[in-house]
Every structure is written in structure tokens, then in C-alpha cells.
Amino acid sequence: PPNAIQLQSAGSQSTLAPLPRPPDVQNPPSHSWASLCGPPSWGLSCLLALQHILVLASLLCTSHLLLLQSLPAGGLSFSPAQLLASSLFACGVSTSLQTWMGSRLPLVQAPSLQFLIPALVLTSQKLPLALRTPGNCEHRAKAQASLVLRLCGGPGCHGLELWDTSIREVSGAVVISGLLQATLGLLGGPGHLFPRCGPLVLAPSLVVAGLSVYREVALLCFTHWGLASLLIVLMVVCSQHLGSCLLPPRPWRPASTSSTHTHLLAFRFLSVLIPVACVWTVSALLGLSIIPGELSAPTKAPWFWLPHPAEWDWPLLTPRALAAGISMALAASISSLGCYALCGQLLHLPSPPPHACSRGLSLEGLGSVLAGLLGSPMGTASSFPNVGTVGLLQAGPRRVAHLVGLFCVALGLSPRLAQLLTTIPLPVLGGVLGVTQAVVLSTGFSSFHLADIDSGRNVFIVGFSIFTALLLPRWFREAQVLLSTGWSPLDVLLRSLLTEPIFLAGLLGFLLENTIPGTRLERGLGQGLPPPFTAREAPMPQKSKERADQEYELPFSIQNLCPCIPQPLRCLCPLPQDFGNEERGPSEPGEIADLLPDFGDQCPQPSRGESQ
């Protein structure tokens, strides 16, 4: 067993005695400063939050750009900056709720690409029959980067009604998906299914999630491979090669021997901000304005704008929107559950309990409902690239997620400020998205060791799930005949589901894992904690359980309301034995387990006050 005590012979009687415990390893310089000295200071937290905003901007601009390019040439009756502002506002509200009373993990909510594929299917099905050929389908529209939208407010602009109707129908699908997600969470569906999703279900989903966006990343980097390569090289150098360099937080002050432990891993912590700033500056000096015309407008957006429902018109609810909304809800739910597991693994926490998964999915659904009512064509879900950023920076304080939510709300109230995100060159967005997705991909591969990967059963499940999830979307993309059943809503539903890689990977992995016979040890079940966490916390099981309960439990003020919740909704609250020791008191809003939590108790108490 991994936790067995090594024995040696002692004396002539060959009696067994435990080996002397090896000395504690000194903190290597590559460890997260947050895990050494508690939550980061507010200044460092703002910088970390700004990096998450940059990663969110890559998803935001990519999803809206590809959706607007898929629509026929026409006009917009409103500024694209207002679309971005409404999405940012919904993301900010959803992130704050998710971190405060949802899953309680530092998850940033963003326009997930799982909403993009059904939206592209929905808009392509609305094109005239002469335009709905395989060469003009939703996937080929991604590669057509030459479309430039015109801001058109006059009655004589061709295609204006088609544009508004398409956006409204997609917003209606987002509202439906949010309602379905919230219903699934309130009924406790994720809590019942998540314990059955072992490593052979989650790992293929994470691998496919990392591989499924390579085409979008390539399209963004294709605009200028030089800038994209420079950004990727700088991110790798800052996060890996220079990640062990310790710098004082205030280099202009003389060093003090009593505060040497407060030195920061500045290059690792700023491994997104520094490369983006450098490449953005180089692009400006060279005069390379690689900005998508679809997201720019000839007229300036307002400085202040209060998002509210029916700003342009109410979302359009149709049978086709219902079909697209169902596929959005299923794909986003599987993606979010994978994000919960990935974030817990990166933070060395146990798997999220059922009540945390149910609350998280419910609040994500409410965020999508808000986004759809505000007119946004993209819903909100837990962002894989932002979780990958947590692994890249090796810091995931909950305080940072709260700040991200506040920054997104502020940007949502000012379309002029939100429009600044569209000035980021496309190769910069592609490079950021590619590096963060690589972290997700590698974490998915590392999850296979939790199960017996040498088992023939497990080898088949992993290979079949990943290969089929990547094959079917490619086949539908290259098929010469579109899927047609004679009823348009059913066509939208089937085509949306069969072209969602993460949905296919999660569904196939779940079905095969729970139908093919296998022992629990072979399947990697029954292990409450990942092996690294288990090995470290084995001598202190009670402490590790209390730490896990503290991370996932509701805030102290809301725990008192749990007895008043109706019985059907009790799945959102922890079980009585999961509330932990009440003598601990409520956890601070800004604290959460960072990477390598076993080093958290080694930081002296005075330094925590200084770091604040």
C-alpha cells in the first residue's frame, strides 16, 4: 500500500522497527506563495483577477466572433460592444453567486464554447435553402474571417430583420438552457450522477475538452503566427523557466531578514499578464492592428449603460430554440461538472460533494437565464481556460474570483470599457486560449492514474470515448448531406448533440463505465481523495475532512436558513454530519485551499498579517 510504513531489521533478533522519518523537505521555490502564506494581498489579488479577465476575454471575443461570422451578411441594430457588455454583466453576477453560495470553488463563469455549437446549428438552419450547403454550414463559417458586419439602424438595411430574429432566437435558446440547468440542480440530478462519474468518465471528458478547441485556437493564431508564437514562448518561460524566481514585493525598499518569506513568485503569478502586455505593445509598435471588424463599430459605444431585459427585444422562444436549449443545457452541465472535478484536483481537494454540485449547476442556470434575458447570445458556464489558468499560476484564492465578478459587472455597465477587450489582437487571444487549454488537457491525462489503466476494460473505455467524441463532430462537419429528419427542431437537437465533443465523451464514458463489469478498485472508485492529497493527509484524516467541509460548505449566514428550505430542495444543503465543527466558525470569504495545501501551516502567523 502507498501509505505503508517501511520497516528494517534492528539488532540480532531481526525485530522490525520503523525507519526514521525523513526530514521535512524545504519549501521548493516553485511552490505557490499563496499556499505558503495564506491569501494574497489585495494588490496581488487584483493582478490575478486581471489575468482571469484576459482569459475570459479570449472566450468572450472568440465565441461572439464565430457566431457573428456565421450569420448572413446584414446589419446590426445595436453596437456589438453592447452584446459584449451584456455577456460580461451576466458573467460577473454568475461568478459572484457561484463563489459565494454555489460550488464555493474559485470558478470564473464565462461564455462557454458549449453554447456556441448549438447556436451555430440554430443560425445555419435558419439560412435559406440555397445557402445551407455543406460549404456554408456552421463549421465552415468559422474559417470565413472576411465577413465584416455593418452597424445598420435604418429601415432600408437588408438583412436587419433576419439578424435581429436570429440573435433573439439564440437568446431564447440560452434562456431555455438556463431554466433546464437550474431545474436539474434544484432536483439534485448532478448530486446523484456525479458520484458515479469516476476517473474513466472525467478524464476522457477533460482530454476532449482540451482538444476540442484546437481549430478555434488555430484560426485565431493564423492571423499572425509570429505574435502568437512570441506570446506562447513568453508564457512558457514565465510560468515554467522563471517560475521559481523569488522577487520582493517592494523591490525599491531594502530587504528585511524578517520578511524574506514574503517574496513573490512574480513571473509565475503574472505569467499571463506580462506576456500579453509585451506582445500587445510589440503589436502596437509594429502597427499591426489585428482586430476583428465584426466586433468593432463605426460609432462609439456609451460610457455608461444599465443592462436590463428587453433592451432590444424579448428573446424569441420557438420549437427550434427549445431543441437548441436542450442541447446547450446537457453539454454545459457535463462541462461544468468536469470543471468542478478539475478545479478540485488542481487545488488538491476531495471531489465536490453532491450538494455543492447541485448548487453550482443551479446558479449557473440562473446566470444563463439572466444572460438570455439581457439579449446575450451566449450563456454562462464554468470556464475550462480559467481553471487551466489556476493550474498555470498555481494560485486559486476565492478572493480573486470575487474580484473577477466585480470587474465583470463594472465592464458590463460600461460598453466603452468592454469594447477595449476587442482591441486585443486575435493572435494574443489565440495564444492565451491555447496555453490554458493545454493545462486542461494535461490534467485530464494525469487523471488516468487514479484507475487501473493497464486493465483491458479501462483501455477500451478511454480509447473509445475519446476517439468517438472527436470523430463524430468531424464527420458531420465534412458530411456532404446534412442530417434531415423532416422536422427542423429534431434536426437542430440531433445535430447539436452529435457535434458536441464534450457531451459525447461524457455520455459514452458514463454509459460504458456503468454498464461494463469491473471492480471498484479497477474503476478507481472509493478513493475519496486523490493519491497525493491522501498520502499527505493520511495521518490527519479528521483535519483533512474538516478542511474539505470548510471549503464546500455554505456561508455561515446561509447555513442557518437550511432548516427552513422545503424538503424537495434539501439536496442543496449539506447533510447534518457535513456541517463540520461549529466551533471553527465561518470561513473567511477570501480563503480557499491553494495548490500544495500541506505547506499552508508552515507560514508564521505574523507574515499573514503582513501579506494582507
Side-chain angles (χ1 to χ4, degrees), residues 138-157:
E138 68 278 5
H139 296 284
R140 293 297 178 87
K142 295 180 181 180
Q144 297 173 354
S146 60
L147 294 178
V148 178
L149 308 183
R150 301 185 302 274
L151 187 67
C152 179
C157 186

Side-chain angles (χ1 to χ4, degrees), residues 321-607:
L322 175 62
I326 293 174
S327 61
M328 288 180 180
L330 294 177
S333 300
I334 295 177
S335 173
S336 297
L337 292 178
C339 274
Y340 299 162
L342 175 63
C343 188
Q345 182 176 350
L346 289 176
L347 296 177
H348 288 246
L349 290 174
S351 298
H355 60 84
C357 296
S358 299
R359 292 197 311 267
L361 204 63
S362 300
L363 293 179
E364 285 189 15
L366 293 180
S368 294
V369 171
L370 176 62
L373 292 177
L374 295 179
S376 173
M378 291 288 125
T380 62
S382 297
S383 167
F384 273 116
N386 286 97
V387 178
T389 305
V390 172
L392 189 68
L393 307 180
Q394 291 194 359
R398 189 179 291 134
R399 177 187 298 171
V400 174
H402 283 295
L403 290 176
V404 172
L406 293 178
F407 290 166
C408 288
V409 171
L411 291 174
L413 295 176
S414 178
R416 182 74 66 87
L417 294 179
Q419 197 171 13
L420 292 177
L421 299 178
T422 63
T423 61
I424 303 177
L426 290 181
V428 173
L429 299 178
V432 170
L433 195 60
V435 174
T436 53
Q437 285 291 119
V439 178
V440 177
L441 174 64
S442 60
T443 308
F445 280 120
S446 67
S447 302
F448 288 127
H449 79 281
L450 299 175
D452 184 9
I453 198 58
D454 293 329
S455 170
R457 168 191 181 275
N458 296 348
V459 169
F460 173 78
I461 292 176
V462 170
F464 185 81
S465 300
I466 296 177
F467 185 78
T468 306
L470 298 176
L471 171 66
L472 284 179
R474 180 63 181 267
W475 181 78
F476 276 100
R477 184 167 61 247
E478 302 296 337
Q480 297 298 321
V481 179
L482 296 176
L483 181 64
S484 178
T485 62
W487 190 37
S488 181
L490 184 58
D491 295 342
V492 172
L493 177 63
L494 294 179
R495 188 170 181 84
S496 299
L497 292 178
L498 294 178
T499 52
E500 285 277 13
I502 192 170
F503 168 77
L504 295 174
L507 178 64
L508 292 175
F510 181 82
L511 292 178
L512 295 176
E513 166 71 0
N514 291 275
T515 55
I516 300 178
T519 63
R520 293 182 61 85
L521 181 61
E522 184 182 17
R523 298 165 61 184
L525 302 177
Q527 306 173 15
L529 302 176
F533 190 87
T534 306
R536 295 186 180 111
E537 300 293 343
M540 301 174 293
Q542 183 62 28
K543 181 180 178 181
S544 63
K545 183 179 184 304
E546 290 180 358
R547 187 184 184 92
D549 293 340
Q550 184 180 2
E551 302 302 340
Y552 291 115
E553 69 182 3
L554 286 167
F556 188 74
S557 57
I558 301 180
Q559 287 183 13
N560 299 329
L561 302 178
C562 284
C564 304
I565 295 180
Q567 185 64 32
L569 302 181
R570 290 290 177 88
C571 60
L572 303 179
C573 295
L575 297 176
Q577 62 269 21
D578 293 339
F579 278 111
N581 187 3
E582 295 181 357
E583 297 179 358
R584 293 196 314 265
S587 58
E588 297 181 12
E591 291 186 356
I592 196 169
D594 293 286
L595 292 185
L596 306 173
D598 55 336
F599 294 96
D601 298 332
Q602 300 181 9
C603 182
Q605 290 296 332
S607 65

